[in-house]
Amino acid sequence: MPNETVLISGAGIAGPALAFWLARSGYAVTVVENAPVLRLGGQAVDFKGEVHRRVLAKMGILDEVHRRQTGKTDLRIVDEHDKHLATMPGEFIGGDVEILRGDLTEILYERTADSCEYLFGDSATALTDTESGAEVTFEKSRGRRFDLVFGVDGIHSAVRRLRFGPEENFVQFLGYYYAVVGATDAVTAASADRERATGWMYNEPGRMAVVGGPKAPELFVFASDPIDYDRGDITEQKRLLAAVYSGASWRVPGLLAHLDDAPDFYLDSIARVETDTYTAGRVALLGDAAYGNTLGGFGTGLALVGAYVLAGELAAAGGDHRVAFERYNEQMHRYAKIARKGSAGPFLAPKSPTRIRMRNWTFKSKALFGLMMKLTDFFATGIDLQDYPALRSAGRPGNVDHP
């Protein structure tokens, strides 16, 4: 095998998924993660359609994902007086099977911890890509040489910046921001009442607030021009959110009153990654770093399918990254087309009362809702998933591993 040592930057979902396949293909895998420990909090993620199920089955985790799935949660869309206006069904929000992000991360980590090296609390700070290998400098660990490097470190990918160029060349702001409040609490809440959990969604023009359900205990989405803020200053971000929602009705004032006490808080822009290629030299991008689309609904499925295709093509090419990367680009560019076009902001937080009513009507009309579900089915299954014989042995008993 011409390439033997690989670095994966990012230990969320896509990183351990790629590590799973590469370790079983004979690679010496190192995973570096900026967080000091495995991140077990976060929102719920979901899978939809035969393609996603096949990849989960091939990994041997389909049964475990079903065992730890959340109960699908309907979102009751209400007005300021809690009057029920429409219902966003759990089947639309949660796909065929929904699981907390932290639970899925834990499943993948457990299956790679013994076969891969994990470096927590560290990150790549410099990368020199050459014909013979990639020299990587770390913030804390000693510098090392790897045959291949994979940027699996999210929409604000450091590897993409180091190898492909500045973030502004690849990440397009879509006119909205979102905030997740109390993400870790979602684990407790969903575990306590997974089957009966109910969420409430409230809109004012350009603003949305959601309370309850496993996606997030509290979720805010709001329209805005670009905001200059410190991504490391949570206190500043909480003040920003409070200012944006000042004067809002419904339960919003009470939610804002408890912001300072929230143990977990995350604010970011709604954006999508736009790039003509996911690879450069000995470096490849995967997951949100390559085809991210915030709150787009397909990110986790794209990540796991992408990990399978990338590892499979490397195996099929005998480790020749030039051949494998070309095939990976071709397949995933077609499959990830939904990530290049969609924008969740206008759907979640329409900017006018008329658009809010039109969005609500989508869920009240069986015909419109049926069409929307068919479209999501189409995008989730829009790839001719190949069978890679070299990866077959990675499956575990108890799951169907179809070719």
Side-chain angles (χ1 to χ4, degrees), residues 331-351:
Q331 292 190 60
M332 291 306 297
H333 195 75
R334 291 197 303 266
Y335 185 48
K337 57 183 176 291
I338 180 59
R340 297 193 299 274
K341 298 182 179 298
S343 176
F347 181 79
L348 295 173
K351 293 184 178 181

Side-chain angles (χ1 to χ4, degrees), residues 27-50:
Y27 290 89
V29 180
T30 298
V31 182
V32 63
E33 166 58 45
N34 185 54
V37 295
L38 196 68
R39 293 175 175 173
L40 296 181
Q43 302 166 261
V45 298
D46 59 86
F47 299 99
K48 185 178 183 65
E50 176 61 20

Side-chain angles (χ1 to χ4, degrees), residues 47-291:
F47 299 99
K48 185 178 183 65
E50 176 61 20
V51 169
H52 293 177
R53 287 195 298 273
R54 285 180 61 192
V55 171
L56 293 172
K58 288 175 179 294
M59 297 184 76
I61 64 173
L62 180 60
D63 289 347
E64 182 67 7
V65 168
H66 275 281
R67 187 183 71 80
R68 299 174 69 168
Q69 68 179 308
T70 67
K72 290 198 177 74
T73 305
D74 292 345
L75 273 182
R76 292 172 60 86
I77 304 173
V78 299
D79 66 10
E80 66 270 26
H81 304 297
D82 271 335
K83 179 183 176 182
H84 182 211
L85 303 176
T87 298
M88 192 179 294
E91 62 185 298
F92 174 75
I93 304 167
D96 296 339
V97 58
E98 182 184 70
I99 182 171
L100 291 172
R101 178 180 294 276
D103 284 356
L104 181 60
T105 300
E106 189 174 50
I107 290 170
L108 295 171
Y109 176 73
E110 288 173 349
R111 284 157 176 77
T112 55
D114 291 339
S115 57
C116 303
E117 175 191 18
Y118 277 84
L119 302 176
F120 286 102
D122 206 350
S123 60
T125 57
L127 191 160
T128 303
D129 189 3
T130 71
E131 283 293 323
S132 59
E135 301 289 339
V136 180
T137 301
F138 295 98
E139 181 181 358
K140 297 178 182 177
S141 304
R142 62 176 177 82
R144 291 159 65 177
R145 176 194 173 280
F146 297 91
D147 293 317
L148 300 174
V149 174
F150 300 99
V152 198
D153 43 354
I155 203 164
H156 302 294
S157 170
V159 169
R160 188 186 60 225
R161 173 175 51 80
L162 292 172
R163 181 60 180 85
F164 290 71
E167 178 172 308
E168 55 266 29
N169 292 348
F170 303 98
V171 178
Q172 180 185 7
F173 172 60
L174 298 179
Y176 284 81
Y177 287 84
Y178 75 106
V180 179
V181 183
T184 301
D185 291 344
V187 178
T188 302
S191 298
D193 197 3
R194 290 191 174 190
E195 295 301 323
R196 293 175 293 175
T198 303
W200 291 268
M201 177 176 175
Y202 170 72
N203 280 105
E204 293 176 354
R207 298 191 292 196
M208 181 206 79
V210 169
V211 177
K215 287 293 184 186
E218 298 168 22
L219 175 65
F220 299 86
V221 174
F222 59 92
S224 174
D225 292 330
I227 303 172
D228 184 15
Y229 66 95
D230 184 350
R231 294 188 62 239
D233 189 339
I234 301 300
T235 300
E236 177 191 0
Q237 294 171 32
K238 289 180 178 180
R239 285 198 297 262
L240 187 161
L241 183 68
V244 168
Y245 279 82
S246 176
S249 299
W250 191 55
R251 309 180 193 181
V252 174
L255 300 176
L256 298 179
H258 297 288
L259 265 183
D260 288 342
D261 301 325
D264 293 279
F265 182 92
Y266 183 81
L267 183 142
D268 204 350
S269 62
I270 291 183
R272 65 170 166 246
V273 176
E274 296 184 347
T275 177
D276 294 331
T277 179
Y278 309 132
T279 63
R282 291 177 172 270
V283 180
L285 304 176
L286 172 68
D288 283 351
Y291 21 81

